[in-house]
Amino acid sequence: MKRIALIVMSVFMAGSLAAQDYVEVSKNLLKAMRDKDMTEAKKYVDQIANGNPADFQKQIDTQEEKLAFWINTYNGLIQYELTKNPAQFDDRGDFFGDENVTVLGEKVSFDNLEHGVMRRNTSKYSKGYFSNPFSGDWYKQYQFEKIDWRIHFALNCGAASCPPVRIYDDKTVYQQLNASSKQYLDSQVKYDKEEEEVYAPKLMDWFSGDFGGSDGALKILKKNGYIPSTDVDLEFNDYDWTLKLGTFYKD
């Protein structure tokens, strides 16, 4: 009986450790990019590319694990691809829209990852209000349980106005997303008391539906102490598309 118990415990522990494998790979990719080690990063890019979809779905099955893995993977592959060839950013439409990266054995685009998986197939052209009827169904096996507006303050597309990169862990991902949201909003939000208007990140305009529309955005800003009430005019900052890589939070 003791031998059987040890075997069962070993299997249980192995399964628990295996559940972290893909998250750890995504974290290691970002650590390598933070350290500017392209050779090391390539190892993790290849592991993500060659991952087994069935194994992945068994391991990454909670919203926390999905958030950590997909945010890290998106940010890591963006950093890797643009470091390898910055000229790709000259035509951003093709860079984000073409199926140029491989994830779990499938050629996909960065739009697939962001708008298909993380935004549950919401069209990037609809401000968050309509699904994309032309996306195929690859995303369905991996999609988030719900859209979390905080991802917009965590995803880094390589532009100067993007939020800095943080390395997310499934055990602390919600606290990390809160921290990223606060730090990004602190850097972006400006309230003009005399004019009774607030300037917010352009991301809250482009993906308005994810934030609950203008009313939802104002409620978020009020809840976080940026405005005294929601009875103010909402304006949006310009977005700086200058390529800027390697911007990481220190933690």
Side-chain angles (χ1 to χ4, degrees), residues 178-227:
N178 285 338
S180 295
S181 297
K182 184 179 187 310
Q183 287 167 296
Y184 189 67
L185 288 171
D186 282 350
S187 72
Q188 293 283 313
V189 177
K190 304 296 180 187
Y191 174 58
D192 187 327
K193 183 177 180 180
E194 291 186 2
E195 297 294 331
E196 292 189 336
E197 62 185 14
V198 62
Y199 283 84
K202 189 64 177 176
L203 295 167
M204 298 182 91
D205 178 29
W206 286 338
F207 305 109
S208 175
D210 294 2
F211 292 93
S214 296
D215 289 343
L218 288 168
K219 287 177 182 177
I220 290 168
L221 296 178
K222 180 179 182 298
K223 182 179 179 180
N224 287 279
Y226 297 105
I227 52 177

Side-chain angles (χ1 to χ4, degrees), residues 14 25 32 58 86 118 124 132 186 193 196 205 213-214 224 232 238:
V25 168
K58 289 177 184 176
M118 291 184 269
K124 69 176 181 178
N132 179 5
D186 282 350
K193 183 177 180 180
E196 292 189 336
D205 178 29
S214 296
N224 287 279
V232 299
D238 293 331

Side-chain angles (χ1 to χ4, degrees), residues 5-226:
L6 286 171
I7 292 172
V8 170
M9 185 176 292
S10 296
V11 171
F12 175 77
M13 290 178 68
S16 298
L17 290 172
Q20 304 305 317
D21 287 351
Y22 281 102
V23 172
E24 288 301 316
V25 168
S26 73
K27 291 167 63 177
N28 288 335
L29 169 58
L30 280 178
K31 289 174 184 176
M33 291 310 305
R34 180 193 60 195
D35 297 339
K36 305 185 188 307
D37 189 338
M38 291 291 284
T39 302
E40 184 74 2
K42 178 69 163 56
K43 289 171 21 182
Y44 303 115
V45 170
D46 289 343
Q47 287 183 40
I48 290 169
N50 297 321
N52 181 280
D55 290 343
F56 176 87
Q57 290 183 72
K58 289 177 184 176
Q59 293 179 21
I60 307 297
D61 62 355
T62 68
Q63 179 78 347
E64 293 90 340
E65 289 167 339
K66 290 177 181 178
L67 282 162
F69 174 82
W70 290 106
I71 293 173
N72 289 343
T73 295
Y74 178 94
N75 287 343
L77 292 177
I78 288 276
Q79 295 288 316
Y80 181 79
E81 289 297 322
L82 290 176
T83 299
K84 194 170 63 171
N85 182 10
Q88 293 180 94
F89 207 62
D90 294 343
D91 190 334
R92 294 191 299 274
D94 286 347
F95 176 68
F96 294 115
D98 288 351
E99 295 177 345
N100 290 327
V101 293
T102 304
V103 176
L104 303 173
E106 188 84 16
K107 276 280 190 181
V108 296
S109 68
F110 286 110
D111 281 347
N112 292 147
L113 304 184
E114 180 179 3
H115 308 296
V117 174
M118 291 184 269
R119 299 186 63 235
R120 295 177 55 84
N121 196 42
T122 304
S123 170
K124 69 176 181 178
Y125 301 112
S126 72
K127 287 200 169 187
Y129 293 102
F130 302 104
S131 62
N132 179 5
F134 307 110
S135 64
D137 59 5
W138 174 83
Y139 70 92
K140 289 182 179 178
Q141 59 192 319
Y142 306 118
Q143 68 181 354
F144 284 11
E145 296 163 15
K146 60 181 180 179
I147 298 173
D148 189 324
W149 59 262
R150 293 174 297 182
I151 66 170
H152 295 297
F153 303 145
L155 297 176
N156 183 297
C157 70
S161 284
C162 287
V165 177
R166 176 170 265 122
I167 301 173
Y168 291 90
D169 184 273
D170 59 289
K171 298 180 187 66
T172 56
V173 67
Y174 291 134
Q175 298 95 309
Q176 290 178 298
L177 285 171
N178 285 338
S180 295
S181 297
K182 184 179 187 310
Q183 287 167 296
Y184 189 67
L185 288 171
D186 282 350
S187 72
Q188 293 283 313
V189 177
K190 304 296 180 187
Y191 174 58
D192 187 327
K193 183 177 180 180
E194 291 186 2
E195 297 294 331
E196 292 189 336
E197 62 185 14
V198 62
Y199 283 84
K202 189 64 177 176
L203 295 167
M204 298 182 91
D205 178 29
W206 286 338
F207 305 109
S208 175
D210 294 2
F211 292 93
S214 296
D215 289 343
L218 288 168
K219 287 177 182 177
I220 290 168
L221 296 178
K222 180 179 182 298
K223 182 179 179 180
N224 287 279
Y226 297 105

